[in-house]
Amino acid sequence: MDFKDILKIIATAASEKETVEIYYPKTENTPEGWRKIEPYSLSTDIGLEGEHLIYGEDRIRPGHILNAFTVGSKDNHCGSFILGKIKKAKLTKKKFKPKNNWKVEF
């Protein structure tokens, strides 16, 4: 899939507060494969050091970060995904309620 198509799918899901499935490579904590996520925001870097980006206003690049919660995760924190590493994305049409009063900022 093309980067712009993947980004549009994620932004569409976020604007509707719906989960999205992404295909992501192996990390030190998880194997390669599909992950269902709740998308929350885009940023220039991980954590507090990252500047938030707005889809449709800021220029989003493959090196930027998608902050998202992985559905079914035992952790109670937002994970970070490098946008350019996401190989595929698909809408689920399943609503989510933001966790811990987190804001969906797209």
Side-chain angles (χ1 to χ4, degrees):
M1 282 186 99
D2 179 77
F3 169 74
K4 289 180 183 180
D5 293 333
I6 290 169
L7 184 58
K8 185 176 180 177
I9 288 168
I10 293 168
T12 299
S15 69
E16 298 295 324
K17 290 189 176 121
E18 294 177 351
T19 59
V20 64
E21 288 188 63
I22 61 170
Y23 195 90
Y24 203 74
K26 180 182 191 268
T27 67
E28 62 185 60
N29 297 323
T30 57
E32 180 171 359
W34 287 101
R35 303 165 197 220
K36 188 183 296 184
I37 60 162
E38 298 173 359
Y40 284 95
S41 64
L42 301 168
S43 63
T44 56
D45 202 353
I46 297 171
L48 299 175
E49 297 177 22
E51 176 185 336
H52 280 280
L53 301 168
I54 303 298
Y55 179 77
E57 292 181 23
D58 294 310
R59 185 172 177 158
I60 311 299
R61 298 178 184 210
H64 288 148
I65 305 297
L66 167 64
N67 300 298
F69 177 77
T70 302
V71 176
S73 170
K74 304 276 189 249
D75 297 331
N76 200 20
H77 70 276
C78 237
S80 301
F81 300 92
I82 299 169
L83 285 169
K85 288 188 175 184
I86 299 171
K87 296 179 180 179
K88 299 176 189 174
K90 57 186 175 182
L91 298 170
T92 65
K93 301 290 185 184
K94 294 182 181 173
K95 296 281 188 186
F96 70 89
K97 182 178 177 185
K99 307 218 177 318
N100 303 321
N101 295 320
W102 294 343
K103 292 181 182 178
V104 177
E105 301 176 291
F106 266 78

